[in-house]
Amino acid sequence: LEMFEAIGKQIGMFVKRKRKEGDLLYLAQHDILTGLANRTALNDSFTDIVNISRKKNELVAILYLDLDKFKHVNDTFGHSVGDHVLQDTARRLNETLRETDIIARYGGDEFVVILPSIKFISNIIPIARKILLSFTQPFVTESQEFNLSISIGISIHPQDGTEFNVLLEKADQAMYYVKKHGGNNFHFFASTNGN
């Protein structure tokens, strides 16, 4: 009996340690507030997706998303309402995008989406429009209801670059172009200011 008890304790400790390792791995790759992938997971995913896309001769799109006027919500209603908006944003993106798409919270109210398996650049347009449409519904919290839109900048692998950081920067520039022109829209880097 003592031997079985000792074996049981060891198995219990092993299971507990494995569960903790799994929890730590999850925390290392996910944003705690939204449950979305974080920057680390995003980088890792990009490399894998590009390798697969090259073999299939497909494009990969990087979408850089930023909520319009989110700072006003945080400043006016407080951070708990802001957190609710970020969680609802994550939910809307998860419901709108394909299972194969990678969605990450990049920081603050910025999100990045990797779209794999793109045959033609024109295939990205309906996806971007679908994201914009998902933000036409108001955000509802316990005490507030308000509308927020989103700005989307898009870069394409390999035409806009092959390195993730370069593509991210170009998508960010395209997103700021949208912001500068009123927000609530999408724009490709290649058509931004003649680039």
Side-chain angles (χ1 to χ4, degrees), residues 83-102:
D83 287 350
H84 175 79
V85 167
L86 295 173
Q87 290 167 334
D88 197 12
T89 296
R91 179 190 59 78
R92 291 176 192 216
L93 293 173
N94 272 318
E95 289 175 358
T96 302
L97 294 162
R98 307 169 298 179
E99 282 187 30
T100 55
D101 300 332
I102 306 299

Side-chain angles (χ1 to χ4, degrees), residues 16-29:
K16 203 174 193 180
R17 188 173 74 241
K18 282 295 177 190
R19 194 172 290 148
K20 277 186 181 178
E21 286 173 9
D23 291 346
L24 289 173
L25 182 61
Y26 179 86
L27 290 173
Q29 296 181 335

Side-chain angles (χ1 to χ4, degrees), residues 91-151:
R91 179 190 59 78
R92 291 176 192 216
L93 293 173
N94 272 318
E95 289 175 358
T96 302
L97 294 162
R98 307 169 298 179
E99 282 187 30
T100 55
D101 300 332
I102 306 299
I103 310 165
R105 180 175 175 216
Y106 203 67
D109 63 327
E110 297 173 331
F111 296 81
V112 174
V113 175
I114 300 175
L115 301 177
S117 306
I118 302 293
K119 295 284 185 194
F120 305 103
I121 292 174
S122 59
N123 296 148
I124 301 164
I125 295 170
I127 297 170
R129 286 188 177 142
K130 198 173 173 186
I131 293 170
L132 292 172
L133 186 62
S134 74
F135 285 84
T136 58
Q137 296 298 314
F139 286 85
V140 180
T141 67
E142 292 176 13
S143 58
Q144 303 295 329
E145 181 176 317
F146 48 86
N147 290 302
L148 282 179
S149 56
I150 197 161
S151 295

Side-chain angles (χ1 to χ4, degrees), residues 152-172:
I152 307 169
I154 306 167
S155 64
I156 311 293
H157 176 281
Q159 79 178 41
D160 295 326
T162 55
E163 298 296 319
F164 181 65
N165 289 337
V166 171
L167 290 164
L168 201 59
E169 176 62 31
K170 289 180 177 181
D172 187 28

Side-chain angles (χ1 to χ4, degrees), residues 23-82:
D23 291 346
L24 289 173
L25 182 61
Y26 179 86
L27 290 173
Q29 296 181 335
H30 291 83
D31 174 61
I32 295 169
L33 180 65
T34 62
L36 296 176
N38 64 16
R39 290 178 184 212
T40 303
L42 195 64
N43 268 321
D44 295 344
S45 298
F46 177 76
T47 303
D48 295 339
I49 287 168
V50 165
N51 289 336
I52 293 166
S53 295
R54 277 189 188 128
K55 290 175 188 171
K56 295 181 174 182
N57 201 26
E58 294 175 332
L59 304 170
V60 176
I62 305 294
L63 279 61
Y64 202 109
L65 297 81
D66 188 80
L67 288 166
D68 299 324
K69 300 179 181 142
F70 177 74
K71 185 179 183 322
H72 174 74
V73 170
N74 249 353
D75 293 346
T76 306
F77 304 116
H79 291 287
S80 63
V81 171

